[in-house]
């Protein structure tokens, strides 16, 4: 795009040739395409949009089979039947687009409309994962029969918030929280958990008390120590998870769900240890 904008001579038609194996679903290049689910769960095919101005020529290894050795074809086919290699087979062999990275930890999560989510009359919980430079995350979770339904309420580093050290409490006030909602927090921030339980009259000025009266009553916060990361992963893997289809939760879907993956060994193969990043929403949900 930078290249096309740098050539400004009138009457010149710019032709740019892009040759690529399909990157994952969230890559910017797919903005010019419409993605359609394939028969393989979590993988998509692409068609260019009519107004994109792009000529798309799609091919798989079969398009070039007359140039490929028997050994190459045989080795490529071996990946069909193993979990680590199947991603390579679907992308490099069939040219499909993955919804996640190689070694993705969570798969087959679904989306639920906001209307359907709001209609669920089941147990509701709230979770906080603290973050200053990393995202601070607040989620609302509904649970029934090992099915989990999640809506993201806040996903933003505290460092970007302009108000005082009480910014979390004020955000809770603006979201309508009272003492009735139990908020489960990472116990690593003990002082923050205690602070949210309420302020005395002399700690607040009159303007703050008028604008945020709930601060005097406080909120019901509970500190819980995080289990080891592998335990947290297995807990969520054992549940059927649905995420609300709204703008903020979709942002988190892209930032965490599709990118959270197993660490790799020196050969680039996934290990049994997750990479401990891009998991603030996931930890808040857990």
């Amino acid at each position: 795009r930078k290249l096309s904008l740098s050539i400004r001579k009138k009457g010149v038609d710019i032709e740019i040739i892009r040759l690529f194996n399909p990157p994952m679903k969230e890559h910017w290049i797919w903005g010019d395409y419409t993605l359609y689910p394939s028969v393989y769960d979590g993988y998509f095919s692409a068609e260019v949009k009519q107004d994109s101005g792009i000529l798309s020529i799609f091919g798989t290894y079969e398009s070039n089979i007359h140039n490929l050795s028997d050994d190459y074809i045989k080795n490529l086919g071996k990946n069909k039947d193993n979990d680590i290699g199947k991603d390579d087979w679907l992308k490099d062999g069939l040219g499909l687009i993955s919804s996640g990275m190689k070694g993705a930890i969570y798969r087959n999560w679904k989306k639920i409309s906001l209307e359907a989510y709001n209609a669920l009359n089941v147990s509701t919980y709230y979770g906080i994962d603290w973050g200053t430079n990393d995202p601070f995350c607040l989620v609302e979770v509904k649970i029934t029969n090992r099915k989990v339904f999640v809506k993201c309420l806040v996903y933003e580093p505290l460092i970007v918030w302009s108000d005082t050290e009480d910014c979390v409490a004020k955000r809770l006030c603006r979201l309508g929280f009272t003492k009735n909602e139990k908020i489960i927090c990472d116990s690593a921030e003990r002082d923050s958990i205690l602070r949210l339980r309420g302020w005395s009259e002399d700690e607040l000025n009159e303007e703050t008390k008028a604008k945020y009266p709930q601060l005097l009553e406080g909120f019901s916060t509970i500190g819980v120590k995080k289990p080891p990361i592998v335990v947290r992963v297995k807990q969520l893997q054992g549940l059927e998870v649905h995420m609300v289809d709204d703008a903020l939760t979709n942002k988190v879907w892209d930032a965490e769900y599709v990118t959270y993956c197993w660490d790799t060994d020196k050969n680039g193969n996934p290990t049994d240890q997750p990479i401990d990043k891009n998991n603030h929403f996931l930890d808040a949900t857990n």
Side-chain angles (χ1 to χ4, degrees):
R1 293 176 180 179
K2 186 70 175 175
L3 178 61
S4 65
L5 292 173
S6 68
I7 302 174
R8 305 180 181 91
K9 188 174 180 181
K10 188 175 182 179
V12 174
D13 292 327
I14 303 167
E15 184 174 289
I16 299 174
I17 299 173
R18 306 188 297 199
L19 179 66
F20 59 93
N21 289 328
M24 57 188 247
K25 180 173 175 280
E26 283 65 40
H27 196 278
W28 62 265
I29 206 168
W30 300 124
D32 292 320
Y33 296 74
T34 301
L35 302 186
Y36 298 97
S38 74
V39 296
Y40 299 95
D41 189 42
Y43 291 84
F44 299 81
S45 59
E47 290 185 10
V48 292
K49 295 177 180 177
Q50 290 186 351
D51 60 351
S52 66
I54 293 174
L55 169 64
S56 177
I57 302 174
F58 172 78
T60 68
Y61 77 100
E62 292 182 329
S63 308
N64 192 40
I65 202 164
H66 56 285
N67 287 318
L68 302 178
S69 69
D70 292 340
D71 284 342
Y72 176 87
I73 296 170
K74 181 179 178 181
N75 289 329
L76 185 65
K78 285 180 180 178
N79 289 326
K80 293 180 183 180
D81 301 318
N82 69 80
D83 290 337
I84 293 176
K86 190 171 184 179
D87 185 71
D88 293 332
W89 160 252
L90 294 175
K91 290 192 300 185
D92 300 340
L94 301 186
L96 297 177
I97 301 148
S98 172
S99 61
M101 300 176 69
K102 184 175 182 178
I105 291 174
Y106 298 115
R107 296 184 182 273
N108 303 321
W109 286 19
K110 301 175 177 65
K111 293 192 177 182
I112 181 174
S113 70
L114 182 59
E115 294 75 17
Y117 174 84
N118 289 336
L120 291 170
N121 185 22
V122 297
S123 300
T124 303
Y125 305 88
Y126 298 88
I128 282 179
D129 189 65
W130 305 99
T132 301
N133 295 301
D134 289 327
F136 167 90
C137 188
L138 169 66
V139 297
E140 181 180 81
V141 180
K142 297 185 178 184
I143 303 176
T144 177
N145 297 327
R146 301 195 65 76
K147 294 182 179 180
V148 176
F149 304 86
V150 193
K151 179 182 180 183
C152 191
L153 303 178
V154 181
Y155 189 78
E156 195 172 36
L158 293 181
I159 199 170
V160 307
W161 294 4
S162 59
D163 43 4
T164 68
E165 62 180 0
D166 305 327
C167 56
V168 173
K170 291 176 181 178
R171 184 66 65 95
L172 292 175
C173 290
R174 292 195 288 269
L175 288 169
F177 278 77
T178 66
K179 265 195 174 296
N180 294 329
E181 297 84 19
K182 287 186 169 54
I183 307 172
I184 302 170
C185 311
D186 176 7
S187 61
E189 294 284 344
R190 181 177 180 273
D191 291 344
S192 298
I193 293 169
L194 295 176
R195 176 77 282 186
L196 288 174
R197 292 177 183 172
W199 283 253
S200 62
E201 289 275 353
D202 58 359
E203 288 182 296
L204 304 174
N205 59 43
E206 293 304 317
E207 180 183 357
T208 301
K209 284 187 282 189
K211 190 173 182 179
Y212 302 104
Q214 186 61 39
L215 295 180
L216 295 172
E217 189 174 352
F219 306 94
S220 299
T221 53
I222 303 168
V224 175
K225 185 177 180 180
K226 285 183 181 179
I229 189 169
V230 174
V231 174
R232 303 200 301 270
V233 165
K234 289 182 178 179
Q235 285 174 340
L236 269 185
Q237 283 180 329
L239 301 171
E240 181 181 317
V241 181
H242 302 252
M243 293 175 65
V244 170
D245 191 4
D246 66 7
L248 181 56
T249 312
N250 285 337
K251 173 184 175 182
V252 177
W253 175 286
D254 295 342
E256 296 200 7
Y257 167 66
V258 300
T259 62
Y260 192 45
C261 58
W262 300 107
D263 203 354
T264 55
D265 61 22
K266 63 181 180 181
N267 297 315
N269 294 319
T271 67
D272 59 358
Q273 287 295 317
I275 297 176
D276 192 13
K277 64 178 182 179
N278 300 332
N279 56 355
H280 308 286
F281 168 83
L282 302 170
D283 282 349
T285 300
N286 228 328

